[in-house]
Amino acid sequence: MDRIETQASGGCQCGAVRYHVSAVLDTSHICHCRMCQKAAGNFFIALIGVPRDAIRWTRGHPAWFGSSDKAARGFCRNCGTPLAYDYHESKHINLTTGSFDDPSRFAPKYQFGLEARLPWFEVLAIPAEGTTEETMAAHVGAIRASNHQHPDHDTEAWPEG
């Protein structure tokens, strides 16, 4: 695993928990295992390794659920956003790729937990419907005007104002 020096921030949906990393590992991946499916409430979870000495919680701290005797899952106790997977014996922690302010920087390189991968992810060819603005045009304005989601950048305080 190569250590990649970088600067990146992220956090939960409501902004109660924020973090900053100064390095990541070249381990960006998705995991299809059943435990990860349940933790994400989704078909798989996207994770990237971060050396323990390279993460700093800049606002709040995650709550933890011991998903096994060997590992814990970190999440925001306020909004429920999945934030981390911590295999206790590892020298790194895995953060959820989607919780980074710019998740596009960390494209997955590997897939794990294939025993639980759903068959339609072997080859995914689903027609594209369009952007949210196109498919939900009548609702986008009201959603945007009442958005409580933390922005994709650090803030001095949250909520602002």
Side-chain angles (χ1 to χ4, degrees), residues 66-127:
S67 55
S68 74
D69 290 346
K70 297 286 189 179
R73 310 284 177 151
F75 60 95
C76 174
R77 76 178 74 251
N78 294 354
C79 68
T81 300
L83 296 167
Y85 168 74
D86 185 3
Y87 187 76
H88 304 309
E89 296 171 16
S90 177
K91 294 181 180 173
H92 68 277
I93 188 170
N94 285 283
L95 296 179
T96 55
T97 311
S99 69
F100 278 89
D101 292 338
D102 184 4
S104 68
R105 294 177 56 193
F106 309 110
K109 296 179 174 185
Y110 312 101
Q111 297 184 63
F112 296 105
L114 300 181
E115 71 282 355
R117 181 174 64 185
L118 297 169
W120 54 83
F121 283 108
E122 291 176 23
V123 178
L124 185 63
I126 297 175

Side-chain angles (χ1 to χ4, degrees), residues 26-153:
D26 63 346
T27 62
S28 187
H29 66 282
I30 60 175
C31 184
H32 298 274
C33 84
R34 190 66 186 124
M35 200 176 276
C36 282
Q37 289 173 350
K38 299 272 290 193
N42 215 317
F43 302 123
F44 55 81
I45 197 166
L47 299 163
I48 187 167
V50 175
R52 291 184 188 277
D53 68 348
I55 184 167
R56 183 170 48 93
W57 300 102
T58 58
R59 181 180 306 134
H61 288 88
W64 294 93
F65 169 70
S67 55
S68 74
D69 290 346
K70 297 286 189 179
R73 310 284 177 151
F75 60 95
C76 174
R77 76 178 74 251
N78 294 354
C79 68
T81 300
L83 296 167
Y85 168 74
D86 185 3
Y87 187 76
H88 304 309
E89 296 171 16
S90 177
K91 294 181 180 173
H92 68 277
I93 188 170
N94 285 283
L95 296 179
T96 55
T97 311
S99 69
F100 278 89
D101 292 338
D102 184 4
S104 68
R105 294 177 56 193
F106 309 110
K109 296 179 174 185
Y110 312 101
Q111 297 184 63
F112 296 105
L114 300 181
E115 71 282 355
R117 181 174 64 185
L118 297 169
W120 54 83
F121 283 108
E122 291 176 23
V123 178
L124 185 63
I126 297 175
E129 292 277 327
T131 66
T132 303
E133 287 75 10
E134 294 166 342
T135 60
M136 296 181 64
H139 307 287
V140 167
I143 292 168
R144 193 172 287 134
S146 64
N147 183 358
H148 302 291
Q149 183 167 297
H150 189 274
D152 286 332
H153 58 81

Side-chain angles (χ1 to χ4, degrees), residues 9-34:
S9 294
C12 68
Q13 188 173 15
C14 75
V17 180
R18 297 282 299 163
Y19 61 81
H20 182 83
V21 301
S22 56
V24 296
L25 301 175
D26 63 346
T27 62
S28 187
H29 66 282
I30 60 175
C31 184
H32 298 274
C33 84
R34 190 66 186 124

